[in-house]
Amino acid sequence: MGSIQGAETGRPDVGPRVALDLTVNGVARHLEIVPWTTLLDLLREQLDLTGTKKGCDHGQCGACTVLVDGVRVNSCLTLAALKDGCEVTTVEGLAGPEGLHPLQAAFVEHDAFQCGYCTPGQICSGVGLMNEGHATSAGEIRELMSGNLCRCGAYPNIVAAIEQAMHANEGAASR
């Protein structure tokens, strides 16, 4: 049994759709999706934002981490329809006109990636961690980043990059 293909997208066109309004990386989007679409699949397959990675697809590796209203979420476990009206930031949306986000720059400076597959999720999770304001030490960073797995073992460099960006952010906030 084959699936019916959408005339415009070439993607399977099955079942009723729900309307969804999101702001993704600063751009307002009106979408119509099947209700079971995960945020990960919406970002990668419909919006072509492939920076967010599909790792385990079970919320265990953190490769799919994005920010929703500034809070880190596993996009593979998040139904997109439940985020109507939210602001979503992916790794593609972190850099600004002035350049890389401070955490992206710190990742480059500390060589905090090897294969790079987990890097987008690590960076989004690190930005979310900094937004939360709970970490004050390398140990707390390691604990709060424990949901993001690096298959290459670049953890010391990742923690160093987050510490640098976190302290730079504190310095900027105190000015």
Side-chain angles (χ1 to χ4, degrees):
M1 177 190 316
S3 63
I4 300 169
Q5 298 295 310
E8 296 177 11
T9 65
R11 295 186 178 101
D13 188 16
V14 294
R17 295 191 174 260
V18 295
L20 173 67
D21 289 304
L22 291 175
T23 300
V24 181
N25 296 333
V27 177
R29 305 273 191 155
H30 178 77
L31 305 155
E32 295 203 7
I33 61 171
V34 292
W36 53 85
T37 303
T38 66
L39 184 56
L40 173 63
D41 289 340
L42 175 68
L43 293 169
R44 288 186 56 84
E45 296 174 15
Q46 294 185 29
L47 300 179
D48 294 323
L49 294 168
T50 56
T52 305
K53 301 303 181 203
K54 184 177 271 194
C56 67
D57 213 18
H58 292 87
Q60 297 175 348
C61 74
C64 67
T65 304
V66 298
L67 300 169
V68 176
D69 293 335
V71 176
R72 51 190 170 157
V73 300
N74 289 331
S75 62
C76 72
L77 296 180
T78 303
L79 288 175
L82 297 177
K83 298 303 173 192
D84 188 32
C86 290
E87 184 170 325
V88 178
T89 304
T90 69
V91 72
E92 293 99 334
L94 290 174
E98 63 281 347
L100 295 176
H101 183 280
L103 186 54
Q104 290 173 312
F107 262 65
V108 172
E109 185 175 327
H110 288 275
D111 193 22
F113 45 85
Q114 290 181 16
C115 81
Y117 196 82
C118 72
T119 304
Q122 296 276 3
I123 290 174
C124 284
S125 189
V127 170
L129 178 147
M130 292 189 308
N131 291 344
E132 294 163 8
H134 300 305
T136 58
S137 68
E140 289 173 343
I141 292 170
R142 278 192 286 278
E143 175 68 23
L144 293 169
M145 292 291 293
S146 63
N148 289 79
L149 303 179
C150 172
R151 290 146 184 89
C152 302
Y155 293 114
N157 301 22
I158 292 169
V159 171
I162 293 171
E163 270 190 297
Q164 177 181 314
M166 194 169 65
H167 294 305
N169 195 31
E170 291 168 358
S174 65
R175 287 184 215 147

